[in-house]
Every structure is written in structure tokens, then in C-alpha cells.
Amino acid sequence: MKVRMLVALSGTRNGARWPGRGETVDLPAAEAMRLVDSGLAEKATESGPPVETATLPPAEVTAPPAAKPPSRRRGRTGKGETAKE
């Protein structure tokens, strides 16, 4: 039975690495059903993996923010001093 892997498994099966996520593998029916029942794989269809058809929204073009005026910094007072105004 052919299944498509939904996750990547580490290690090997019969000396060969497991196929990657989205790839298909032909397994004995009992082993394939255990993977499908546990959510690690899905039954493979002849049409292939689903294709994502999402499109990006158009980019928004905005003017850069206006420059901020320089801030008024006040000097720090030392120990025992008071601010002079």
C-alpha cells in the first residue's frame, strides 16, 4: 500500500532511510495502516500531493514617516545638586 509521509521519521527501515515529509513509500498493508492510524502518513492518491495555491496580497505603498523634531534634553543633576531653571 502506498502512503505519503506527513512527518519526517528518523532512522531507517530495512536499511534504507525513511522518505521525507510529502514523499511516498510502498509498505505492507498492516504497517501502512499503523502509520495512517497514528497520523504519521496518509493514503497516497494518484494525483500526487496537494498543491498550495495561496497568493500574496498586493504590497501597500506608503510614504515614509515624517522626521521627528530633535528632543529637548535636560542636563542631569549630580548628587546634592538641584536643577537650575
Side-chain angles (χ1 to χ4, degrees), residues 38-74:
S38 64
L40 299 175
E42 65 184 1
K43 292 180 183 178
T45 60
E46 297 299 323
S47 64
V51 176
E52 186 173 326
T53 58
T55 57
L56 295 173
E60 294 182 24
V61 179
T62 58
K68 292 183 179 179
S71 63
R72 268 183 50 188
R73 299 192 71 162
R74 296 183 183 191

